[in-house]
């Protein structure tokens, strides 16, 4: 149900890994998603269930952080969807940040 996703920017090589979606035991209260904290401009992996209405965060499921997905796969989790390519890079601010699933969690 959840995923561990590895990211990498094709331009500046910024990379990290983050959790996406809860596991089968905690998914009703825990849904980690990648986000940008607009106050610090830093990437954060936050719990969507708690931060959903927090104006401090933009989520990678939001259109604003998505570029052209070029018909690649998307990663769905309930009503959320991530693009796999051309996402907003928190470091160089280009839309060149790619996501790929490293492994699935329960
Ligand atoms: Zn970058």
């Amino acid at each position: 149900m959840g995923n561990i996703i590895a990211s990498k920017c094709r331009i500046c090589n910024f990379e990290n890994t983050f959790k996406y979606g809860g596991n089968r035991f905690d998914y009703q209260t825990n849904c980690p998603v990648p986000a940008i904290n607009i106050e610090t401009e830093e990437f954060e992996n936050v719990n969507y269930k708690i931060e959903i209405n927090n104006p401090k965060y933009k989520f990678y499921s939001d259109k604003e952080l998505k570029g052209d997905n070029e018909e690649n796969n998307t990663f769905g989790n309930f009503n959320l969807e991530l693009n796999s390519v051309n996402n907003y890079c928190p470091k160089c601010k280009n839309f060149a940040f790619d996501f790929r699933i490293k492994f699935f969690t329960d």
Side-chain angles (χ1 to χ4, degrees):
M1 165 172 290
N3 303 131
I4 303 291
I5 293 182
S7 73
K8 183 157 192 177
C9 176
R10 297 191 312 275
I11 294 175
C12 72
N13 290 324
F14 175 81
E15 61 187 338
N16 64 19
T17 56
F18 59 85
K19 289 185 193 156
Y20 178 48
N23 63 42
R24 66 194 156 112
F25 303 108
D26 70 3
Y27 73 92
Q28 288 177 315
T29 55
N30 184 36
C31 184
V33 294
I36 295 291
N37 179 326
I38 61 173
E39 291 172 0
T40 62
E41 300 190 340
E42 298 280 333
F43 182 99
E44 291 186 29
N45 199 178
V46 301
N47 186 350
Y48 190 73
K49 300 274 186 196
I50 293 173
E51 310 295 354
I52 182 168
N53 292 315
N54 188 339
K56 198 166 91 169
Y57 292 112
K58 286 182 194 168
F59 304 101
Y60 275 88
S61 51
D62 296 346
K63 280 199 174 71
E64 282 173 275
L65 298 184
K66 290 177 174 174
D68 182 358
N69 199 40
E70 298 170 356
E71 298 178 19
N72 286 290
N73 290 341
T74 58
F75 309 131
N77 194 280
F78 296 96
N79 57 336
L80 301 175
E81 198 166 66
L82 297 182
N83 281 352
S84 52
V85 300
N86 295 328
N87 296 290
Y88 173 83
C89 173
K91 192 167 174 215
C92 71
K93 322 227 183 290
N94 290 292
F95 284 82
F97 197 36
D98 295 346
F99 298 156
R100 78 186 156 75
I101 292 177
K102 266 184 95 172
F103 47 81
F104 296 89
T105 58
D106 282 340

